[in-house]
Amino acid sequence: GENVEQHPSTLSVQEGDSAVIKCTYSDSASNYFPWYKQELGKRPQLIIDIRSNVGEKKDQRIAVTLNKTAKHFSLHITETQPEDSAVYFCAASTPVWSGAGSYQLTFGKGTKLSVIP
Amino acid sequence: GAGVSQSPRYKVAKRGQDVALRCDPISGHVSLFWYQQALGQGPEFLTYFQNEAQLDKSGLPSDRFFAERPEGSVSTLKIQRTQQEDSAVYLCASSWGRGDNEQFFGPGTRLTVL
């Protein structure tokens, strides 16, 4: 099955600086890569996603890059703000035609981002 | 519109008790997923429904775990003879398609087994 590794596990940045979180995946058939933000005690919420036919996607201060050859993808947050503080999860979805039973998401272990005012 | 809702939000059970966790997905969403999130970890897949059909239950950790979605909307995750290792947050997610698009998560049910 799919395996997703995420680094770093914790990240502290000064307000206004950039933050980068990196993930690798194992199954070359995976083709959908979402990033979720989870605040303490709250539900995971999608912040950006990317499909395997795209190398980069941006949405205001957030961007994701995907390198299919190397099987890694990264989240970039620019001009960080205190409200960006949360746990961020990367995930990968493997299509059923490759043997997976469903389009389940395999998550990384999360990165706790702290933005220091 | 309303998002995914789950009930109860918190559940405390004594070891050996049975529990039932409910998920109300977004209306019209075909796909429904259950995930288990241990403290400090990412969610882990348990089972998947497409309408009323349970197409994937490969993530259920034991035969004490059972899920159903009889009418293709509301789903229930049942855990029989709960054990301490079952303590976790149980998240439900729904999606309008197969699931390889945005999965909308509910707030979760925090289960504590004493």
Side-chain angles (χ1 to χ4, degrees):
Chain A
E2 176 63 277
N3 181 52
V4 176
E5 301 281 343
Q6 181 172 349
H7 299 281
S9 57
T10 60
L11 179 59
S12 290
V13 299
Q14 290 291 135
E15 182 177 358
D17 287 350
S18 295
V20 179
I21 302 170
K22 298 182 178 181
C23 290
T24 60
Y25 61 99
S26 62
D27 193 334
S28 57
S30 291
N31 61 0
Y32 173 64
F33 306 92
W35 285 87
Y36 282 86
K37 175 183 180 182
Q38 187 174 33
E39 296 178 32
L40 191 62
K42 301 287 183 64
R43 71 187 75 195
Q45 292 198 304
L46 182 76
I47 56 171
I48 196 166
D49 56 11
I50 192 168
R51 296 193 180 277
S52 58
N53 58 349
V54 175
E56 183 175 1
K57 184 176 179 181
K58 286 185 180 180
D59 183 3
Q60 299 184 328
R61 297 187 296 109
I62 296 173
V64 57
T65 58
L66 171 66
N67 183 325
K68 285 193 298 180
T69 303
K71 290 189 283 189
H72 67 70
F73 56 115
S74 301
L75 177 71
H76 304 252
I77 305 174
T78 59
E79 301 171 17
T80 53
Q81 301 167 5
E83 51 266 37
D84 294 330
S85 297
V87 178
Y88 291 81
F89 292 98
C90 62
S93 176
T94 308
V96 294
W97 52 258
S98 75
S102 61
Y103 289 88
Q104 60 184 268
L105 294 176
T106 302
F107 286 84
K109 292 186 182 301
T111 297
K112 183 177 181 180
L113 174 64
S114 299
V115 180
I116 304 163
Chain B
V4 179
S5 61
Q6 293 185 245
S7 61
R9 291 293 315 279
Y10 304 91
K11 178 68 179 178
V12 178
K14 292 183 179 179
R15 188 162 56 92
Q17 284 185 331
D18 297 348
V19 298
L21 314 179
R22 176 186 170 109
C23 172
D24 284 80
I26 293 172
S27 179
H29 277 195
V30 168
S31 294
L32 186 147
F33 297 82
W34 283 98
Y35 293 87
Q36 180 190 60
Q37 186 173 26
L39 190 63
Q41 301 295 315
E44 291 192 356
F45 170 77
L46 294 176
T47 188
Y48 165 69
F49 290 87
Q50 185 177 86
N51 296 307
E52 70 279 3
Q54 188 176 22
L55 299 186
D56 188 355
K57 50 183 181 180
S58 61
L60 295 176
S62 78
D63 58 8
R64 296 186 295 104
F65 287 71
F66 171 77
E68 60 184 5
R69 194 186 184 197
E71 298 179 357
S73 56
V74 171
S75 178
T76 303
L77 176 66
K78 297 179 180 178
I79 309 174
Q80 296 177 324
R81 304 181 302 281
T82 52
Q83 303 294 316
Q84 284 190 322
E85 60 264 27
D86 300 334
S87 296
V89 174
Y90 290 85
L91 293 165
C92 174
S94 71
S95 173
W96 62 266
R98 303 172 301 188
D100 57 339
N101 41 44
E102 182 171 2
Q103 294 186 21
F104 294 81
F105 281 83
T109 294
R110 180 177 297 277
L111 173 65
T112 302
V113 182
L114 303 177

